[in-house]
Amino acid sequence: MKISLIVPTRRREHLFREFIHSVWEMTHQKKNIDLNIICDDDDTESLNYVSAIRNEYSQLNFHIYLIKRKNMVQDFNINEDYYNFGGRKADGDLLWILGDDLEITAP
């Protein structure tokens, strides 16, 4: 069974790196993880660190998507703009929406 993780990130490299490391450590069948990382199109810093981390964890299936950042006050809705976009791109049997500040752990 393939699981799609949908994770937006913006300028939080340290947290994102810890998140990816936790995915790596807690996943036995790495080929069954479909990572859908969403970055703002004006955020080259995030795009750079996500690309570098993707190279470090090459056994994980990374997809990096750029999305146009909207006006924060009037037009922004993280569920609609990031998670729904990622859900349409995902190809897993299950979808899991997460923030880049989470870590996956065992009980």
Side-chain angles (χ1 to χ4, degrees), residues 2 4-10 16 33-51 54 61-69 81-92 95:
K2 191 176 215 178
S4 291
L5 307 181
I6 301 167
V7 185
T9 189
R10 182 171 176 87
F16 183 77
I33 297 296
D34 173 48
L35 283 164
N36 295 275
I37 311 304
I38 316 295
C39 296
D40 295 321
D41 64 348
D42 67 344
D43 184 10
T44 56
E45 177 184 335
S46 294
L47 180 60
N48 290 340
Y49 72 70
V50 169
S51 297
R54 175 177 59 182
N61 188 19
F62 268 82
H63 304 283
I64 303 170
Y65 299 103
L66 300 178
I67 190 169
K68 182 163 180 55
R69 187 170 177 85
D81 294 340
Y82 293 90
Y83 293 126
N84 288 339
F85 175 84
R88 288 189 298 272
K89 298 292 185 180
D91 66 357
L95 295 179

Side-chain angles (χ1 to χ4, degrees), residues 13 24 38 72 84-85 88 93 98 101:
E13 178 177 0
W24 178 265
I38 316 295
M72 289 297 291
N84 288 339
F85 175 84
R88 288 189 298 272
D93 301 303
L98 300 158
D101 58 348

